[in-house]
Amino acid sequence: QVIDNDIYFQYGQLDHGGKVAKVKKDGTGFTVLDDSSINKLFWAKMQKMINDKHSEADFRFSKLDSYIGSRMLRENTLDIYIGYGLNELEQPDEIGEKPLISSRIGAYIGLESSINEQPEFKAKDLERYTRYGTKSYLCSMMNGQKNDPQLLTQGIELVDNVDTMKLKVEFNDGYALADSQYFSYSDGDMLLLPGYEGECVIKAFYRKKRNKKKVKEILEEIKNVVNS
């Protein structure tokens, strides 16, 4: 959304941690906030891009509910959204996407999980545990097939958001599938799953007809820095 000399766009997870960022029309800077679902490793890379090419004086920090952010993109009041997907059954034709970085899906578990007590743990061992997920975090809904990452609803106890999902995992000795590299957590643990080929892809979603040159430049900057 263009207001005076500024272009505002949202980025972040589909959970309540969505953000509003600001880019000057001349490309001098934009805003970054920590996301409750994407960890500091990712945002540290974003901060490096800011430090190298932009000015902190141009930044504005704000949080938005993710569902509002998806609606803003659909209604053409948003330029760029970074996350794992949109809150849409079908992606509108006027919205494009650019993959930024991918990583293996792992199993998020509680620190005191009995899963840790199993020797030579394998992905199949998870069948004895309750799986939690949320539609606001698409990694938790994956079927684990690398070349066909369909979303599942059966066999998953669905909750409203990522924070609730993490609490359910901890309190009920369950697990949730998550981005093994970029999922944000402090009280749990992440297990890589031998034989499980699922991947999470962080993407940038954008309006195809809005500020094409500037959006393209920003997307290339972001992709380069997160893969550095």
Side-chain angles (χ1 to χ4, degrees):
Q1 180 180 11
V2 178
I3 302 176
D4 297 327
N5 283 329
D6 301 324
I7 303 169
Y8 291 82
F9 63 90
Q10 188 190 2
Y11 61 92
Q13 265 293 52
L14 285 179
D15 191 44
H16 57 274
K19 312 299 185 299
V20 167
K22 179 178 75 173
V23 180
K24 289 286 187 181
K25 283 185 179 179
D26 59 8
T28 57
F30 67 96
T31 303
V32 172
L33 283 177
D34 278 350
D35 187 282
S36 63
S37 301
I38 299 178
N39 64 23
K40 291 183 179 180
L41 175 62
F42 184 90
W43 300 120
K45 294 180 178 182
M46 298 288 288
Q47 185 65 52
K48 183 180 186 302
M49 183 182 75
I50 294 167
N51 294 341
D52 291 346
K53 298 185 178 181
H54 301 279
S55 169
E56 291 279 359
D58 294 329
F59 294 178
R60 169 179 170 175
F61 292 82
S62 179
K63 280 193 173 186
L64 281 180
D65 180 271
S66 63
Y67 295 99
I68 296 176
S70 296
R71 187 186 69 201
M72 289 174 63
L73 186 61
R74 184 179 66 250
E75 293 176 349
N76 200 19
T77 57
L78 196 67
D79 288 315
I80 299 173
Y81 180 94
I82 295 179
Y84 296 95
L86 298 176
N87 185 33
E88 304 282 350
L89 294 177
E90 295 184 4
Q91 187 165 313
D93 291 338
E94 65 272 18
I95 295 177
E97 65 179 59
K98 182 180 181 68
L100 299 177
I101 193 167
S102 64
S103 54
R104 287 182 61 186
I105 291 177
Y108 171 74
I109 62 174
L111 284 178
E112 304 298 327
S113 174
S114 62
I115 295 175
N116 275 328
E117 300 172 2
Q118 298 187 35
E120 300 182 359
F121 173 81
K122 297 180 180 179
K124 190 174 181 180
D125 295 330
L126 291 175
E127 294 177 356
R128 300 197 297 269
Y129 294 84
T130 301
R131 177 179 173 182
Y132 294 93
T134 174
K135 293 180 180 179
S136 67
Y137 182 58
L138 296 185
C139 285
S140 69
M141 307 291 292
M142 295 295 186
N143 70 352
Q145 300 300 316
K146 184 175 181 179
N147 297 321
D148 185 25
Q150 297 177 354
L151 300 182
L152 302 178
T153 54
Q154 294 185 348
I156 303 175
E157 184 167 325
L158 295 177
V159 296
D160 291 335
N161 55 59
V162 173
D163 288 336
T164 301
M165 182 182 78
K166 289 189 284 189
L167 289 174
K168 289 286 189 179
V169 165
E170 179 181 359
F171 294 154
N172 297 313
D173 197 19
Y175 74 98
L177 298 187
D179 187 325
S180 64
Q181 185 172 8
Y182 291 112
F183 185 60
S184 179
Y185 62 93
S186 57
D187 297 327
D189 197 5
M190 183 69 67
L191 298 178
L192 292 179
L193 304 173
Y196 192 90
E197 299 297 330
E199 289 186 341
C200 275
V201 181
I202 297 177
K203 303 176 183 179
F205 300 88
Y206 59 93
R207 303 289 309 190
K208 293 179 180 179
K209 296 183 179 181
R210 178 182 286 275
N211 305 301
K212 290 184 179 179
K213 183 177 180 181
K214 180 52 58 184
V215 168
K216 183 178 179 180
E217 291 174 358
I218 292 295
L219 292 178
E220 285 301 318
E221 282 189 43
I222 294 173
K223 182 170 184 176
N224 289 338
V225 75
V226 299
N227 286 280
S228 63

